[in-house]
Amino acid sequence: MNYSERLLIISRNIAVAHFLSGFCLFLIGWIYGLHNAIVFGIPIIIYTLALFFSWRVLKNFNPQKFFEKLSEISFIAIGIVVLFLLLNFLLCLLPPAENLEIDALNYHFTIPWQYYLRGGVTHLDWSITDKYPLYLQMAQLPFTVIGFPWIVKIGMIIALPMLLVTTWHLSRLIDLNPRNTGWTIALLSSLAIFIKQYGTAMFDLAN
């Protein structure tokens, strides 16, 4: 198993855990209710299982060979990727901006938060968007409870690295050499269509 396959499996485990966390919170919140033990307990169990299965993939990981492969990539390309990863992370620590993230403030964060305040998934008379399941939005709920509004953009924090890992794997599948793969990832991370999503609470990129 090569490095791109290992990273892709880890990304898949994180994505599945994030979705399952939101799905279980929505389902149990609808049937039983949303208490702190549920809001935090379910994600902890699911993410722990994801870490366990990811750790199995990393058991035979050789850091020395990985850095040897990494050395074949242009340092400029690596710098560009690191810059935008850091930019995305830092911007995700900012509160949602009212003019840019009206959808997030109207329902992405607000509806799960309303469910939490009401003790369970229940009908909201004033909302149309609560009429369909919001699994990814529910996955944000534990982070909203921990420290709204600064830790709620976890979906955006992990979306960009996972997108770049998928790009790396696809580039290796079509036999791009490491140098060209590095430039492909650098180009993707710097595209305006993604930059405008960095640090926002919008779910377009995360989805």
Side-chain angles (χ1 to χ4, degrees):
M1 186 183 297
N2 59 39
Y3 298 115
S4 67
E5 289 173 335
R6 293 176 191 270
L7 291 173
L8 191 67
I9 290 173
I10 293 171
S11 296
R12 181 201 63 193
N13 291 346
I14 294 172
V16 170
H18 197 64
F19 175 81
L20 282 179
S21 175
F23 175 79
C24 291
L25 283 175
F26 184 89
L27 184 62
I28 295 176
W30 178 50
I31 296 172
Y32 178 73
L34 287 173
H35 309 294
N36 283 336
I38 292 173
V39 170
F40 294 107
I42 289 175
I44 287 173
I45 293 171
I46 292 175
Y47 287 122
T48 300
L49 288 173
L51 287 173
F52 171 75
F53 289 113
S54 298
W55 175 252
R56 293 179 61 186
V57 174
L58 289 173
K59 282 177 65 176
N60 299 320
F61 178 73
N62 189 330
Q64 183 177 355
K65 288 186 178 180
F66 175 75
F67 285 112
E68 287 177 0
K69 286 287 184 182
L70 207 60
S71 65
E72 300 177 23
I73 301 174
S74 167
F75 286 112
I76 298 176
I78 293 175
I80 292 172
V81 173
V82 170
L83 173 64
F84 284 107
L85 284 172
L86 181 62
L87 178 66
N88 178 59
F89 175 78
L90 292 176
L91 291 176
C92 280
L93 300 181
L94 298 175
E98 186 174 347
N99 60 329
L100 294 175
E101 305 173 80
I102 187 169
D103 287 347
L105 295 173
N106 279 343
Y107 65 91
H108 285 316
F109 294 149
T110 302
I111 289 179
W113 181 247
Q114 286 294 314
Y115 290 157
Y116 175 75
L117 294 178
R118 294 166 187 241
V121 175
T122 183
H123 173 67
L124 302 176
D125 293 333
W126 51 268
S127 175
I128 296 176
T129 50
D130 81 311
K131 305 305 183 288
Y132 56 89
L134 302 172
Y135 300 141
L136 287 174
Q137 287 83 348
M138 288 298 292
Q140 305 277 118
L141 182 58
F143 305 97
T144 307
V145 175
I146 289 172
F148 183 82
W150 291 279
I151 319 178
V152 293
K153 300 178 186 177
I154 190 69
M156 299 308 298
I157 290 176
I158 65 175
L160 180 60
M162 290 171 62
L163 174 66
L164 299 184
V165 165
T166 304
T167 304
W168 174 278
H169 183 69
L170 291 175
S171 298
R172 302 304 291 151
L173 282 179
I174 61 175
D175 291 328
L176 280 183
N177 60 49
R179 183 178 181 83
N180 290 337
T181 298
W183 280 114
T184 300
I185 294 173
L187 176 64
L188 183 66
S189 66
S190 61
L191 287 177
I193 190 172
F194 295 121
I195 292 176
K196 72 176 183 178
Q197 297 289 326
Y198 291 174
T200 70
M202 305 302 285
F203 278 64
D204 300 335
L205 178 58
N207 289 337

